[in-house]
Amino acid sequence: MNLRDRIRVLKEDRDAVILAHNYQRPEIQDIADIVGDSLELAVSAKETGASVIVVCGVDFMAETAKILNPGKTVLLPVKDATCPMAHQLTPDIIREARTAHPDASVVLYVNSTAESKALADIVCTSANAVKVVRSLGTREVLFGPDCNLAAYVQNLVPEKEIIPIPPEGHCYVHDAFTLDDIAEARKRGGTIICHPECRPEIQNGADVVASTGGMVRAAPDAEAWNVLTEREMGYRLKSLFPGKTFYTKEEAICEDMKKITLHALCRSLETMQYEITLDPEIATRARTAIDRMIAIGR
Ligand code: 13P
Ligand code: SF4
């Protein structure tokens, strides 16, 4: 039996659902039951009837699925597939910021650890960060860990004061886009769309700023797109819109997303590893912050 068939058989045997982020390898996207952005994966994890949830993505995505499904088995096929940006924010940074800004709300990007989420008032993803911040009663908002997403929100919600924690948290993949990439795209032609994790000057130079799910929804609006985010988003868009053109940057690769291979996925279903376990108190507190976000929606 080939690897793909073996995964399909094991998936049935285990009563598992496979969730994959838009940055996963093409072969993982193809075999997954659901492919989506962070918000779509969180909502699907909450709604699934399957007993086992396999998250092909990075650890904060699997942790979020576990927090929303404490009674289910949640597997991350590669133990150390993580988001380096999530670890730039620690619980101590949040506590210190709360002490310095006692009237502020704390909004944490879903790209954060469960320990940090447990200290947040509400979570957001790049798909709903603006809506989440607008929903808050306070003027001051502590926002982490991505300072570029914080700048994006500040631009659209000028009535609030967004304080990034830490001051310079960022994603190394998105922070690497430069004005040369914008200039190259302009020369090539096509609409420029970038992720809000890109620097403010890239956001200002793009035609559209959107989460990866937002990129899927925007795609019908143009024939050719320059997609300034992780490279595999191009595969996702091309499979959904085969008649359109999507230019991506070869070097824009999230190494941790790429750790999930078909072999790793198959082994995960065989051995039921690596199971996500969380301190129940942390999970309960983090769940409140995530549920608040889900109630707000996109
Ligand atoms: P999305 O929520 O837009 O899918 O982004 C997740 C992510 O990790 C971006 O780097
Ligand atoms: Fe984290 Fe960036 Fe990878 Fe997204 S692309 S998971 S933000 S390192």
Side-chain angles (χ1 to χ4, degrees):
M1 201 186 291
N2 72 33
L3 201 50
R4 285 174 176 78
D5 288 342
R6 174 103 185 108
I7 290 170
R8 288 190 191 101
V9 169
L10 282 164
K11 197 179 71 135
E12 293 303 314
D13 290 352
R14 301 293 196 195
D15 185 27
V17 65
I18 300 174
L19 309 186
H21 187 262
N22 288 321
Y23 298 161
Q24 287 291 292
R25 293 171 181 274
E27 59 274 25
I28 297 289
Q29 294 190 27
D30 289 347
I31 208 158
D33 297 297
I34 290 159
V35 185
D37 70 6
S38 305
L39 183 60
E40 289 158 350
L41 296 186
V43 172
S44 315
K46 195 167 174 174
E47 290 174 351
T48 182
S51 336
V52 176
I53 303 172
V54 187
V55 179
C56 297
V58 291
D59 54 4
F60 76 79
M61 296 173 177
E63 284 182 356
T64 302
K66 180 66 183 177
I67 290 164
L68 293 170
N69 295 278
K72 294 190 177 183
T73 302
V74 176
L75 303 175
L76 179 67
V78 175
K79 203 182 166 82
D80 68 349
T82 192
C83 169
M85 177 169 68
H87 300 282
Q88 292 168 8
L89 180 63
T90 62
D92 279 348
I93 295 176
I94 302 171
R95 286 190 200 99
E96 280 162 28
R98 271 207 193 269
T99 306
H101 301 273
D103 296 330
S105 303
V106 175
V107 179
L108 286 202
Y109 192 23
V110 71
N111 298 43
S112 53
T113 65
E115 287 77 11
S116 290
K117 285 188 183 79
L119 298 175
D121 294 310
I122 188 164
V123 167
C124 73
T125 74
S126 54
N128 61 13
V130 169
K131 201 170 173 194
V132 164
V133 169
R134 281 198 181 124
S135 77
L136 301 169
T138 65
R139 195 187 69 80
E140 269 189 330
V141 178
L142 297 164
F143 189 105
D146 187 9
C147 74
N148 294 324
L149 181 62
Y152 172 73
V153 175
Q154 180 68 84
N155 199 23
L156 292 173
V157 194
E159 65 275 20
K160 306 243 183 227
E161 186 188 351
I162 314 290
I163 303 161
I165 51 167
E168 293 179 348
H170 65 274
C171 159
Y172 73 97
V173 181
H174 290 88
D175 206 62
F177 285 99
T178 65
L179 288 174
D180 287 346
D181 295 313
I182 297 277
E184 209 177 296
R186 286 279 170 237
K187 222 187 305 161
R188 187 189 295 131
T191 308
I192 304 180
I193 191 163
C194 84
H195 197 276
E197 287 179 13
C198 293
R199 291 181 191 189
E201 65 264 31
I202 306 302
Q203 297 175 23
N204 293 337
D207 302 306
V208 185
V209 184
S211 70
T212 63
M215 291 178 182
V216 170
R217 285 183 293 283
D221 299 342
E223 287 314 305
W225 290 91
N226 295 278
V227 183
L228 276 55
T229 187
E230 214 270 352
R231 187 185 71 180
E232 237 63 80
M233 192 62 212
Y235 179 79
R236 174 72 178 143
L237 289 163
K238 193 72 188 164
S239 24
L240 292 171
F241 304 97
K244 295 184 185 282
T245 304
F246 300 98
Y247 302 106
T248 53
K249 187 171 171 176
E250 261 314 285
E251 310 87 73
I253 295 172
C254 175
E255 299 290 347
D256 283 86
M257 286 280 182
K258 298 296 171 284
K259 287 179 179 170
I260 316 286
T261 60
L262 283 179
H263 274 107
L265 173 57
C266 188
R267 201 175 47 234
S268 177
L269 284 161
E270 275 164 1
T271 61
M272 298 296 278
Q273 283 184 324
Y274 293 88
E275 191 174 346
I276 303 291
T277 53
L278 293 167
D279 176 290
E281 206 183 306
I282 285 176
T284 304
R285 280 192 282 144
R287 182 177 179 145
T288 305
I290 298 169
D291 275 337
R292 280 188 190 135
M293 165 188 79
I294 291 178
I296 283 178
R298 188 172 295 288

